[in-house]
Amino acid sequence: MEEMVYSVTEFNKMVKGYIDENPNFQEFFLKGELSGVTYYKSGHLYFTLKDKNSQIKCAAFNYKYKRIPEDLKEGDSIKIFGDVGFYETRGDFQVLVRHVQKEDKLGEMFAKLERLKVELEKEGLFSPLLKKRLPKYPNAIGIVTAYTGAAFHDIVNTTRKRFENIDIYIYSAKVQGVGAKEEIVKGIETLNKIPEIDIIIAGRGGGSIEDLWAFNEEDVARAFYRSEKPIISAVGHEIDNLLSDLVADVRAATPTQAIEIAIPVKKDIEKQMLDREKKLKSSIERVLKSKNDELEKYKNSYILKNFIKTIEEQHQSLVYLEERLENSLSRILKEKKHDLEIRAEKIIGLNPLAVLSRGYSITNSKNKCLKKLSDVKIGDEIETILNFGKIISEVKEIK
């Protein structure tokens, strides 16, 4: 086979001819995500269109005359109409854009967000019962935001104005674009491991809803929910609540407001302490004066002035009461003793042995007392009990 050797010019011309003659490379639609958007004063627009695996360079010459939007930005989802262009001299391959149409990616994102809200609400992530209370006087706060962003500087400046002694721990994280949600989650988890931190504030300054979308991600919302320390969602926006706002223990409209919620003003606390100290001193002085007046009153009272005499009178009264008690006890004992003697005589009088002592006897037959003639018959053995003994007899005759 004969070896084909081309010059660069010949080869590029051949490629251009192939592209120009192939209808598949003319008047077609492409869709993807914008990157590297650049508007030039010359009236030309350059950008890269990409998807998960590939990208292609695009150019729109005199874009204003083609009514191409002038607000295209990084991350926008679009659909373009155009042709393939190949420049022989540079060997550049790009799509020559005739028309650009923005995709309704935001609408899809909101629809997905609403479905996620329903799911998380069912799990209880928004429940007011699970919201943790913020400490009244925190010693240290943790911040998750971009170190270079205005939000961080606002937080630091506001904190120092309100209470300069409070320690600030900063975890610098991306707050928009690719990788933002992962860094926000990592920041919350990291600050939760620092024992000294009392409150965590995660957020950023304002921006478009696309810029703020990292705080609508499920992973970020769950990181807010898992935070063991009280956490404030502080994202500057005027739209409805972001997902992080719903899950956080407290929602602040801006990072600055988050500091105003979390950190008291030191001067106000000092003033309150001084006011309380004055009130406490006044109360103590008032109580001491009252007790002193009461003491003076008692010092001049009859009881204290005549204390010894009063004690002697009370002692005499006790002696008199003691004598009365002894007399009463003696009388009661005598009465009880007399009553006991009478009862004893009655009991003695009822004793069968006492009856025997007066000449009477008791006759038994078969261990039963004889009360009538029918209780015994001739030949029975009987026992007669006397005062000091008994007689055993046999019945010979019954009359």
Side-chain angles (χ1 to χ4, degrees):
M1 181 179 178
E2 186 179 351
E3 188 179 67
M4 301 293 294
V5 179
Y6 301 98
S7 68
V8 175
T9 300
E10 289 174 337
F11 188 80
N12 280 358
K13 186 172 291 198
M14 184 173 62
V15 171
K16 178 172 173 54
Y18 177 78
I19 290 173
D20 290 343
E21 293 172 7
N22 191 326
N24 291 327
F25 296 134
Q26 310 299 320
E27 298 184 341
F28 56 83
F29 289 95
L30 282 178
K31 67 177 181 178
E33 185 178 299
L34 282 175
S35 177
V37 181
T38 306
Y39 290 90
Y40 286 94
K41 293 180 180 179
S42 62
H44 303 324
L45 166 65
Y46 293 91
F47 58 84
T48 299
L49 194 66
K50 64 181 182 179
D51 58 20
K52 291 182 179 180
N53 302 312
S54 304
Q55 62 182 26
I56 189 170
K57 291 182 179 180
C58 301
F61 302 116
N62 297 316
Y63 65 88
K64 290 185 179 180
Y65 295 106
K66 296 174 182 176
R67 296 184 178 179
I68 291 175
E70 298 181 36
D71 60 348
L72 297 177
K73 61 184 181 301
E74 186 88 14
D76 280 352
S77 181
I78 64 169
K79 181 169 70 174
I80 65 172
F81 177 73
D83 315 291
V84 171
F86 184 81
Y87 291 87
E88 297 176 52
T89 54
R90 297 196 306 268
D92 287 344
F93 172 85
Q94 61 185 354
V95 176
L96 302 178
V97 180
R98 298 194 204 177
H99 178 70
V100 174
Q101 177 183 336
K102 285 187 176 183
E103 295 283 284
D104 189 17
K105 183 178 180 181
L106 193 59
E108 294 178 8
M109 291 166 65
F110 273 115
K112 181 180 177 182
L113 176 62
E114 290 304 314
R115 292 193 294 271
L116 181 58
K117 281 183 180 179
V118 172
E119 179 183 337
L120 297 184
E121 186 172 19
K122 285 182 180 178
E123 292 183 34
L125 269 66
F126 306 155
S127 173
L129 301 176
L130 301 178
K131 306 295 184 187
K132 294 179 282 296
R133 300 179 99 180
L134 301 181
K136 196 169 183 179
Y137 303 109
N139 293 311
I141 60 172
I143 310 297
V144 180
T145 192
Y147 185 76
T148 56
F152 169 71
H153 297 289
D154 289 344
I155 288 172
V156 173
N157 293 336
T158 306
T159 301
R160 293 294 173 244
K161 288 178 183 178
R162 294 176 71 84
F163 209 116
E164 71 275 10
N165 305 91
I166 288 181
D167 295 327
I168 301 174
Y169 292 77
I170 175 69
Y171 186 98
S172 183
K174 287 183 67 175
V175 289
Q176 71 180 73
V178 178
K181 68 177 181 179
E182 290 81 5
E183 292 195 17
I184 295 170
V185 170
K186 184 66 176 176
I188 294 172
E189 292 174 348
T190 300
L191 294 182
N192 262 281
K193 296 175 183 177
I194 300 176
E196 293 80 9
I197 293 177
D198 300 308
I199 300 173
I200 295 175
I201 298 173
R204 53 159 293 157
S208 68
I209 183 59
E210 292 92 337
D211 295 338
L212 310 179
W213 200 262
F215 292 88
N216 270 332
E217 296 287 352
E218 180 178 1
D219 291 347
V220 172
R222 292 191 181 278
F224 269 76
Y225 177 72
R226 290 193 302 269
S227 177
E228 295 179 4
K229 299 180 186 293
I231 187 167
I232 301 176
S233 175
V235 183
H237 63 87
E238 296 180 356
I239 62 171
D240 292 338
N241 286 339
L242 297 167
L243 210 54
S244 63
D245 296 335
L246 298 173
V247 180
D249 299 306
V250 176
R251 182 250 175 177
T254 63
T256 300
Q257 189 190 55
I259 295 300
E260 292 171 350
I261 292 171
I263 299 175
V265 178
K266 185 178 181 180
K267 291 182 179 178
D268 291 346
I269 297 174
E270 291 173 344
K271 185 178 180 301
Q272 290 174 7
M273 296 300 290
L274 288 173
D275 290 343
R276 290 180 181 179
E277 184 181 6
K278 288 179 181 178
K279 288 181 180 179
L280 184 59
K281 284 182 177 179
S282 178
S283 296
I284 292 173
E285 289 172 357
R286 188 170 59 253
V287 171
L288 287 175
K289 185 179 182 305
S290 173
K291 294 300 180 183
N292 189 56
D293 292 344
E294 190 174 346
L295 182 59
E296 288 296 324
K297 177 182 174 182
Y298 284 133
K299 283 168 65 177
N300 296 321
S301 68
Y302 174 83
I303 294 175
L304 285 178
K305 284 185 174 181
N306 299 277
F307 184 72
I308 301 300
K309 183 179 178 182
T310 302
I311 293 297
E312 290 177 351
E313 290 176 354
Q314 293 296 325
H315 178 70
Q316 187 62 40
S317 177
L318 284 174
V319 171
Y320 172 70
L321 289 174
E322 185 179 1
E323 291 176 352
R324 287 186 59 188
L325 180 61
E326 288 179 355
N327 293 334
S328 296
L329 288 174
S330 178
R331 187 180 68 255
I332 291 171
L333 288 173
K334 285 180 180 180
E335 291 175 353
K336 294 298 181 182
K337 182 179 180 182
H338 179 68
D339 185 56
L340 182 62
E341 290 173 349
I342 292 173
R343 290 174 180 271
E345 288 179 0
K346 288 183 178 180
I347 292 172
I348 291 171
L350 295 174
N351 187 349
L353 296 178
V355 176
L356 296 177
S357 66
R358 296 200 298 271
Y360 294 92
S361 65
I362 300 171
T363 304
N364 293 330
S365 176
K366 300 176 183 178
N367 295 325
K368 289 177 64 178
C369 181
L370 296 179
K371 296 181 180 179
K372 53 185 184 292
L373 290 176
S374 59
D375 290 338
V376 67
K377 59 183 183 293
I378 295 172
D380 286 347
E381 185 180 276
I382 60 175
E383 178 185 65
T384 303
I385 299 172
L386 304 175
N387 190 21
F388 291 106
K390 56 186 176 180
I391 300 171
I392 305 301
S393 309
E394 183 182 333
V395 178
K396 296 294 184 177
E397 183 179 1
I398 296 175
K399 295 184 179 180

